């Protein structure tokens, strides 16, 4: 009977050890899953930030191009008005005075 009790105790200790190992393995797997999720989230976030900066850059470039076009147009108009001031067109006679 004593032998049987010892065998049972040994089996119980082994079972406890096995359960403990299983729990720690599950905990480790959960940690790995968490780590993977965190990493993929970080990558996604980095990609999103990069995309946002690209969009902002694109908008800035578009705005800059529009301003440049406006400035070129303005300069052209200024040059035109200066040229007109220097060389005014001769006045066009009204149609009624033009001989047929």
């Amino acid at each position: 009977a004593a032998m049987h009790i010892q065998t049972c105790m040994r089996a119980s200790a082994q079972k406890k050890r096995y359960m403990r190992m299983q729990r720690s393995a599950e905990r480790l797997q959960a940690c790995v899953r968490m780590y993977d999720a965190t990493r993929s989230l970080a990558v996604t976030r980095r990609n999103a930030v990069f995309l946002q900066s690209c969009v902002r850059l694109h908008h800035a470039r578009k705005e800059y191009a529009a301003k440049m076009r406006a400035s070129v147009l303005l300069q052209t108009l200024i040059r035109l008005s200066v040229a007109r001031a220097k060389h005014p067109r001769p006045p066009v006679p009204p149609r009624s005075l033009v001989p047929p």
Side-chain angles (χ1 to χ4, degrees):
M3 283 278 289
H4 180 66
I5 290 171
Q6 277 185 333
T7 309
C8 283
M9 281 171 69
R10 261 201 301 273
S12 165
Q14 275 182 335
K15 192 174 178 187
K16 274 183 189 164
R17 206 173 314 131
Y18 172 75
M19 292 296 281
R20 214 174 17 247
M21 277 167 61
Q22 199 173 15
R23 272 200 303 273
S24 64
E26 281 168 9
R27 214 171 309 146
L28 190 61
Q29 279 178 337
C31 284
V32 167
R33 275 196 298 269
M34 188 77 174
Y35 174 72
D36 283 343
T38 308
R39 240 184 39 190
S40 71
L41 180 69
V43 168
T44 307
R45 198 173 287 149
R46 272 201 303 273
N47 289 348
V49 167
F50 178 65
L51 191 62
Q52 281 173 340
S53 66
C54 284
V55 168
R56 272 199 295 271
L57 190 62
H58 174 69
H59 284 324
R61 278 197 183 135
K62 258 172 57 175
E63 213 171 292
Y64 175 73
K67 279 181 184 164
M68 285 299 287
R69 277 197 302 272
S71 125
V72 167
L73 185 66
L74 193 61
Q75 284 173 347
T76 309
L77 288 174
I78 289 169
R79 273 202 298 272
L80 258 174
S81 70
V82 168
R84 276 209 186 117
K86 281 184 182 172
H87 312 288
R89 283 184 180 163
V92 178
R95 279 254 163 93
S96 57
L97 300 179
V98 177

